[in-house]
Amino acid sequence: MSLTRRLIATGFRDLEKSTRFLAASELEGVDEDALFAGFNCSADPDLALQSLVRLIGRAPELVELVNGGAERSEALFRLLGASDALAEFLMRHPGDVGVLHRELRAEPGSTDEPTLRASLLDAVHAGRGAAPVAGLTGTDAYVALRSRYRRHLLDLAVRDLGAASPTDFLPAAGRELADLAGAALEAALAVSRAELTASYPAEEISAVRLAVIGMGKAGARELNYISDVDVIYVIESSGLPEERASAIGTALAAGISRAINASAPEPPLWEVDTNLRPEGKDGPLVRTLDSHLNYYQRWAHSWEFQALLKARAMAGDRDLGRRYEEAVAPLIWSSSERDGFVESVQAMRRRVTDNIPAHEEARQLKLGSGGLRDVEFTVQLLQLVHGRVDESLRVRTTTAAIAALSDAGFIGRTDARELDESYRYLRVLEHRIQMVHMRRTHLMPESEAALRALAKSSAGSLSPERPSAERLQEQWQRRKRLVRRLHESIFYRPLLSTAANLSADEVRLTPEAAQARLAALGYADPRGAMRHIEALTVGVSRRAALQRQLLPVLLAWLADGVDPDAGLLGFRRLSENLGDTHWYLGMLRDSSAAGERLCSILSSSRFITDLLEVSPESTSWLASDKDLVPASFDTQWQEIQSKMSRHPLPAEAMRLIRLIRRREMLRIAIADSAGLLSQQDVGRALADADRAAVLGALHVAESEVFGSSEKLTDLLVVAMGRQGGREIGYGSDADVMYVHRPLPGVDPAAAQAQAEKVVSQISTFLQQPCSPAVQAERPLVLDAGLRPEGRQGPLVRSLESYRGYYERWSVIWEAQALLRARPMAGSDALAEDFMALIDPVRYPEEVTVKDVREIRRIKARVEAERLPRGADPSRQLKLGRGSLSDVEWLVQLLQLQHAHRVPELRTTATLPALDAIEAAELLPAVDVDTLRQAWLLASRVRSANVIRGGRNADVLPSSRRELDAVARWCGYGAGQGGVLEEDYLKLTRHARAVFERYFYGYGT
């Protein structure tokens, strides 16, 4: 192929100029095939060639990089074909070409804010304190700061250009650009402090705290590659007159701008724009926090609160910046209550459009119709209007705000997706256009060559499409029309369709009357409730008509729960998943039990609601008690065996096994909520689900290991702790031990290695993420900490190793741990032999005084060391006063002492052991009953904490709302959280007295 044809095929446009550059002496020694392979990666081959020739003259080592082939040189050619400005930077700083020696990733990583901040401060020789002072000043500082900034900018641009999906990477790129700008402002402030020592005493400078508040895209962490950085300055001082502090603050702020954009050998970065400050250009450059608040409370215009939506402490004094954010937040979120607020924002958008020069209007990405401003104004207006009551909308970034508005129901899911995709698409175009010359522009290029280069640079590194200017224009115009339509349709309008339209016969209520009605039912957010009701009942479909019939009753049932607002939201989400199915609404209409159960669950349990959302078909169980009977272990194991036979691949089989466990946990929780199960039943059913999952994981692990080598050993998983007692709670870890027995004639070391490999696979299969993910799952964590020698001992031992250990080294706490040992999965013969081995250990003929003293010592140590610091022992459900631990340790001490002669004590469960203790008259019946009731209530409260969705399952809640929710689950009436609290504290106090009397011997 001739050179001319090759140039044309590669996408060069100026053939004559390109031919001259290819003949340049700098390219001697460059392999032509490698060179053209690199140009194929470039968005603009002409630009890449010209920049490469000039850059090799400054960095000859790039010849080797080019000759290494396209895989090694892709970063170089993508950058040179997309950014003339960054190529110029490398020519000024050839030492930074090392950034180009990287392999591009389809899903790039990011550089975090602390790293950027530290790097920029290092560049100006500043420290790491709260108010760092630079070691460089003047031109030296400015060049060092700007060069380091641009090196990081270069690094980001290379990663961005290598992304397979630039729209996916966009939010990360915007965050990093904003963080980089913040780091530059921090370093500039350090330089300003150093320079100011020539005019003010150091102690006065340090007495003035200055916070730099980012506004606009900088504050929202969605910055462009080149943009003004909008800031507001806040000062605070101690011991200085206000006028003096203001003068120093103003000088510090001016010094920041000087370091960023004053004349120097390294060009300015960008303009530091302070025009969004109170009173704009006419106001003082810096103000105190009180001065800011006074202005916003008395004089601010509506647009200023819209601007404050993005305000974020970006540099300087972090505490002062945080207090500024907290102080202005209430003003932002109440601003939409101002007279004519919505109309003023709408009018401002029209003014922006009207002021676009006529010759730019058709090319505007940002300000024109269907541009970025349409998206931003729409989103911000909805945030400001609805964010007063819906705190989930109080986010800064546009993409996060779109997601939040969609999640809250203010934007439909399809519209939100289209709005998000369009916004990202337009922002990527904006980034690529600006990257070429690092100039602020929001205009689409006009030439076909520039459009073609833009099409390629914005398409993604793995895009197979040939760049086309015509196709780019078509895509852009389609996005513009879509954005404009969404902008005009997704706009705030009063919610006139309210709870009044639940029935066709009812009189239509005003929004205020509907809110009052919902508030009277107990909804904390009537407006939010109206929004959900509108979504459920709008339209003329059969589904909407059924919802209008059902909702009056369902709303009241939801209001009977702890959190009707959450219940209604959960009902809406569930209805959106199931509303078109033939059975869902029919079941709610025809079965009052199903409807009441559903409402009770949705308004009381975040745990069950989350599971129902990812397994909505399980709602059908609500209509029948028979469907809520937990599946037995045998039934589950039979199903798991069937799944494994049809899905031999380990990943597929394990995902199905974990889905079965999640399904059964949901079934148990629903049955528990309906009062169909006792606390004992719950523990046993959950333990059966865990056992089935572990047995399935063991079989999958053995199949994988034995598939590559012959079987050398039998394996057994032994349940310990509460898992062994079959009295676990929702999402509990499983305490286990692992035992193996080599097959006859097998090398013991090889058998041990194989056993360890299988055991490792079991935990991995149960915990590692699945694909697709098992959503809302509480993965089963296997904890082998109760094995001989604890965590210092081998994870798995042979039966003979256990025998030798228990005969020679076993201590009393290990015998105590074995009281709950129960075979869980594995070889039945090995299980029988292991149980025969440990029975003499856990049921000894005699427990010595020394052993009892050691058990008491360990218990006292557990109480002293394992309770969280500062925790109230009376409210700790597991380790606290008279709680689970006290009851179980006393029971286990009595088992050790008496199980050898009282066979009924040979049980792994606490409640049967208490029954045996009472029957054998080892403790008075009244004391046994106290222990039983305390253990049951603590277990019930612990389960209720998880079911409710609380963060700490092991603490009796202090919040009235959470306490009431837990009380409901424990069988108390509405508003009886205080009664539960009183009962629990009283019962555990009595249980502690019983414990101390018989465990420590106090009072005996």
Side-chain angles (χ1 to χ4, degrees):
M1 182 186 295
S2 68
L3 177 60
T4 299
R5 291 184 63 186
R6 195 168 195 178
L7 288 171
I8 294 171
T10 308
F12 284 86
R13 61 183 184 278
D14 191 332
L15 304 183
E16 182 182 349
K17 188 175 183 179
S18 298
T19 301
R20 289 202 312 271
F21 268 90
L22 285 170
S25 60
E26 287 86 350
L27 296 184
E28 290 181 7
V30 175
D31 181 81
E32 184 174 301
D33 289 339
L35 186 64
F36 275 88
F39 288 140
N40 282 325
C41 300
S42 299
D44 186 340
D46 294 80
L47 178 62
L49 171 60
Q50 295 161 29
S51 296
L52 178 65
V53 170
R54 297 162 62 201
L55 189 55
I56 287 178
R58 299 283 290 153
E61 64 270 25
L62 290 179
V63 171
E64 182 183 353
L65 180 63
V66 174
N67 287 339
E71 287 189 4
R72 287 187 56 198
S73 63
E74 182 181 359
L76 168 69
F77 283 98
R78 286 197 181 279
L79 180 83
L80 297 184
S83 180
D84 183 50
L86 290 175
E88 291 283 353
F89 167 72
L90 286 172
M91 293 171 204
R92 295 194 303 273
H93 302 276
D96 286 331
V97 296
V99 173
L100 303 175
H101 290 262
R102 65 154 69 234
E103 183 178 343
L104 297 183
R105 293 170 52 190
E107 297 181 3
S110 298
T111 305
D112 59 31
E113 188 271 341
T115 300
L116 296 172
R117 184 177 184 273
S119 178
L120 269 290
L121 287 172
D122 284 344
V124 296
H125 299 180
R128 295 287 192 280
V133 179
L136 298 178
T137 58
T139 300
D140 290 343
Y142 307 161
V143 170
L145 186 159
R146 298 172 192 179
S147 300
R148 183 65 58 85
Y149 174 95
R150 288 195 170 99
R151 178 186 171 85
H152 285 293
L153 190 69
L154 171 69
D155 179 68
L156 171 59
V158 168
R159 283 180 277 127
D160 192 358
L161 290 166
S165 174
T167 53
D168 287 348
F169 187 62
L170 172 75
R175 281 194 302 273
E176 190 168 328
L177 286 164
D179 291 343
L180 182 56
L185 291 169
E186 194 74 69
L189 178 55
V191 172
S192 183
R193 289 192 187 104
E195 292 179 341
L196 209 56
T197 56
S199 305
Y200 294 95
E203 59 273 14
E204 289 191 1
I205 297 173
S206 63
V208 177
R209 293 181 292 280
L210 182 141
V212 184
I213 308 299
M215 304 289 283
K217 285 186 168 62
R221 296 183 79 198
E222 50 186 13
L223 200 59
N224 291 329
Y225 273 90
I226 184 69
S227 172
D228 291 354
V229 174
D230 297 307
V231 299
I232 288 175
Y233 295 115
V234 190
I235 62 167
E236 186 175 75
S237 66
S238 54
L240 288 180
E242 185 175 336
E243 187 175 333
R244 182 74 168 174
S246 180
I248 293 173
T250 300
L252 285 171
I256 291 174
S257 294
R258 189 167 56 247
I260 296 293
N261 57 23
S263 177
E266 182 67 21
L269 298 181
W270 20 258
E271 182 181 349
V272 181
D273 191 338
T274 60
N275 290 333
L276 291 179
R277 67 187 187 269
E279 301 181 76
K281 294 179 181 179
D282 297 328
L285 188 60
V286 300
R287 288 176 182 259
T288 65
L289 177 55
D290 287 342
S291 176
H292 275 95
L293 295 178
N294 183 57
Y295 172 83
Y296 290 128
Q297 289 164 351
R298 299 183 62 187
W299 309 110
H301 299 285
S302 294
W303 69 264
E304 292 179 272
F305 294 106
Q306 186 179 356
L308 284 173
L309 189 63
K310 307 291 187 182
R312 174 178 65 91
M314 200 171 172
D317 191 283
R318 296 302 174 94
D319 178 66
L320 179 57
R322 175 187 57 78
R323 286 188 281 124
Y324 176 91
E325 290 180 17
E326 292 174 352
V328 300
L331 303 178
I332 296 170
W333 301 114
S334 63
S335 63
S336 61
E337 298 173 3
R338 296 159 63 99
D339 289 342
F341 176 83
V342 173
E343 292 76 13
S344 69
V345 174
Q346 293 170 337
M348 176 178 292
R349 176 64 189 120
R350 287 193 294 271
R351 284 197 299 273
V352 170
T353 305
D354 292 343
N355 289 330
I356 299 173
H359 66 281
E360 291 185 358
E361 187 172 356
R363 298 171 55 205
Q364 266 286 349
L365 271 173
K366 180 178 179 180
L367 304 179
S369 176
L372 291 165
R373 276 288 187 264
D374 272 354
V375 180
E376 292 162 354
F377 265 76
T378 299
V379 170
Q380 290 166 23
L381 182 57
L382 290 173
Q383 281 183 277
L384 289 167
V385 170
H386 298 298
R388 288 176 299 167
V389 292
D390 191 338
E391 294 188 4
S392 69
L393 305 182
R394 299 181 182 183
V395 294
R396 295 187 179 94
T397 63
T398 303
T399 51
I402 292 171
L405 287 163
S406 176
D407 291 342
F410 294 105
I411 300 179
R413 286 171 294 179
T414 300
D415 288 346
R417 185 186 69 251
E418 292 177 340
L419 199 64
D420 178 78
E421 290 173 353
S422 299
Y423 181 75
R424 291 172 185 250
Y425 174 80
L426 294 173
R427 286 295 307 277
V428 167
L429 292 182
E430 183 182 41
H431 278 191
R432 297 299 187 261
I433 291 169
Q434 293 180 345
M435 193 185 289
V436 179
H437 301 295
M438 286 298 169
R439 293 176 186 163
R440 286 184 60 217
T441 179
H442 310 287
L443 300 178
M444 285 287 281
E446 294 180 287
S447 73
E448 182 175 344
L451 287 168
R452 188 168 59 248
L454 176 59
K456 183 164 184 176
S457 66
S458 61
S461 60
L462 302 182
S463 174
E465 289 188 5
R466 187 177 182 86
S468 162
E470 182 180 357
R471 190 180 306 115
L472 176 68
Q473 286 279 18
E474 290 174 355
Q475 292 172 345
W476 176 44
Q477 293 300 328
R478 186 168 62 252
R479 288 293 178 184
K480 282 176 64 176
R481 290 191 296 270
L482 178 60
V483 168
R484 191 61 188 177
R485 177 183 65 77
L486 293 170
H487 171 70
E488 292 173 347
S489 63
I490 308 172
F491 220 62
Y492 174 75
R493 54 186 178 273
L495 293 175
L496 297 178
S497 298
T498 65
N501 63 4
L502 292 176
S503 168
D505 298 327
E506 288 181 320
V507 178
R508 193 177 185 88
L509 299 179
T510 65
E512 293 76 18
Q515 289 177 49
R517 185 176 185 176
L518 290 165
L521 281 172
Y523 288 81
D525 180 11
R527 288 193 178 186
M530 286 168 19
R531 188 170 66 251
H532 300 316
I533 293 165
E534 170 66 19
L536 289 165
T537 59
V538 68
V540 295
S541 66
R542 181 175 180 275
R543 168 184 170 181
L546 275 172
Q547 292 281 22
R548 283 193 288 270
Q549 294 174 30
L550 293 168
L551 273 170
V553 177
L554 297 182
L555 287 170
W557 282 339
L558 289 167
D560 288 338
V562 177
D563 189 346
D565 299 83
L568 183 54
L569 174 59
F571 178 74
R572 176 182 171 184
R573 289 176 173 171
L574 200 59
S575 295
E576 287 174 345
N577 285 331
L578 289 174
D580 290 327
T581 59
H582 69 280
W583 56 267
Y584 170 62
L585 292 176
M587 178 191 72
L588 295 180
R589 178 195 60 202
D590 299 332
S591 171
S592 61
E596 196 161 4
R597 280 176 179 173
L598 178 61
C599 291
S600 175
I601 287 168
L602 295 177
S603 60
S604 303
S605 174
R606 195 153 60 243
F607 176 84
I608 302 178
T609 300
D610 289 345
L611 288 172
L612 280 175
E613 285 186 18
V614 298
S615 182
E617 67 281 357
S618 303
T619 310
S620 62
W621 301 337
L622 295 168
S624 170
D625 289 354
K626 181 179 67 175
D627 291 333
L628 292 175
V629 175
S632 68
F633 165 77
D634 290 336
T635 300
Q636 294 179 62
W637 177 232
Q638 185 177 1
E639 182 181 4
I640 287 172
Q641 287 178 301
S642 175
K643 299 289 188 186
M644 290 191 298
S645 68
R646 295 198 301 271
H647 299 274
L649 293 178
E652 294 178 4
M654 279 311 305
R655 182 174 184 275
L656 294 171
I657 290 169
R658 288 163 65 172
L659 283 170
I660 291 171
R661 176 175 173 270
R662 185 191 71 180
R663 182 198 68 202
E664 290 308 311
M665 188 178 292
L666 173 57
R667 190 195 309 272
I668 295 162
I670 295 175
D672 193 1
S673 72
L676 302 177
L677 302 177
S678 68
Q679 188 62 38
Q680 276 182 287
D681 294 333
V682 170
R684 291 167 181 163
L686 290 170
D688 283 346
D690 285 356
R691 181 187 173 197
V694 171
L695 181 55
L698 173 60
H699 276 253
V700 174
E702 288 181 335
S703 296
E704 185 170 52
V705 173
F706 299 163
S708 57
S709 61
E710 65 176 330
K711 179 179 179 179
L712 304 178
T713 187
D714 289 322
L715 195 71
L716 172 68
V717 183
V718 180
M720 303 288 286
R722 289 189 177 86
Q723 184 70 237
R726 299 179 73 205
E727 49 196 24
I728 61 172
Y730 298 99
S732 293
D733 293 353
D735 292 313
V736 297
M737 292 199 309
Y738 300 104
V739 189
H740 81 100
R741 178 164 55 192
L743 298 179
V746 168
D747 175 29
Q752 176 72 22
Q754 187 180 76
E756 291 174 352
K757 189 173 183 180
V758 173
V759 165
S760 173
Q761 286 284 65
I762 294 172
S763 292
T764 300
F765 283 148
L766 288 169
Q767 295 176 48
Q768 71 180 3
C770 295
S771 180
V774 180
Q775 295 179 323
E777 180 196 30
R778 289 200 167 214
L780 179 57
V781 177
L782 301 184
D783 186 344
L786 293 177
R787 65 187 183 271
E789 301 179 83
R791 301 192 185 280
Q792 304 305 313
L795 185 61
V796 56
R797 289 176 180 263
S798 70
L799 181 64
E800 291 307 310
S801 175
Y802 275 103
R803 189 187 311 279
Y805 180 87
Y806 287 134
E807 288 175 354
R808 301 182 58 190
W809 309 110
S810 177
V811 292
I812 192 64
W813 74 261
E814 292 171 310
Q816 181 184 357
L818 287 173
L819 287 169
R820 291 185 155 195
R822 178 177 59 87
M824 191 178 193
S827 166
D828 291 340
L830 180 55
E832 184 177 345
D833 291 346
F834 181 77
M835 300 311 288
L837 168 65
I838 66 172
D839 276 353
V841 179
R842 60 179 174 172
Y843 307 134
E845 294 184 14
E846 180 186 9
V847 176
T848 66
V849 172
K850 180 181 177 182
D851 289 335
V852 173
R853 187 182 303 119
E854 176 64 8
I855 290 174
R856 289 170 174 169
R857 185 192 68 80
I858 295 173
K859 171 64 166 132
R861 181 179 175 186
V862 168
E863 291 182 1
E865 296 181 359
R866 291 182 61 188
L867 270 176
R869 181 174 297 178
D872 181 356
S874 69
R875 306 186 78 87
Q876 292 288 317
L877 303 170
K878 183 177 179 182
L879 300 174
R881 180 197 72 186
S883 62
L884 297 171
S885 176
D886 281 357
V887 177
E888 291 166 1
W889 278 69
L890 176 54
V891 167
Q892 290 160 19
L893 176 59
L894 293 171
Q895 286 179 293
L896 286 168
Q897 291 173 322
H898 302 287
H900 180 74
R901 66 176 182 84
V902 182
E904 291 78 8
L905 283 171
R906 299 176 187 179
T907 174
T908 61
T910 303
L911 292 180
L914 281 169
D915 293 340
I917 288 168
E918 182 178 356
E921 299 183 344
L922 299 177
L923 294 182
V926 64
D927 289 341
V928 171
D929 189 60
T930 297
L931 295 173
R932 182 185 293 114
Q933 296 308 317
W935 188 90
L936 283 169
L937 184 57
S939 298
R940 192 67 179 154
V941 172
R942 204 162 176 241
S943 288
N945 278 340
V946 177
I947 287 290
R948 172 64 184 150
R951 293 182 179 177
N952 193 340
D954 290 326
V955 177
L956 180 69
S958 299
S959 137
R960 290 294 102 181
R961 183 185 181 91
E962 292 296 322
L963 202 55
D964 283 345
V966 169
R968 294 281 194 96
W969 190 264
C970 294
Y972 289 76
Q976 289 194 307
V979 178
L980 165 66
E981 184 178 44
E982 181 179 339
D983 287 351
Y984 178 84
L985 296 176
K986 179 180 178 181
L987 187 56
T988 53
R989 185 171 65 249
H990 290 167
R992 180 67 180 189
V994 173
F995 167 79
E996 290 181 347
R997 187 180 311 131
Y998 300 109
F999 188 89
Y1000 290 118
Y1002 299 162
T1004 62

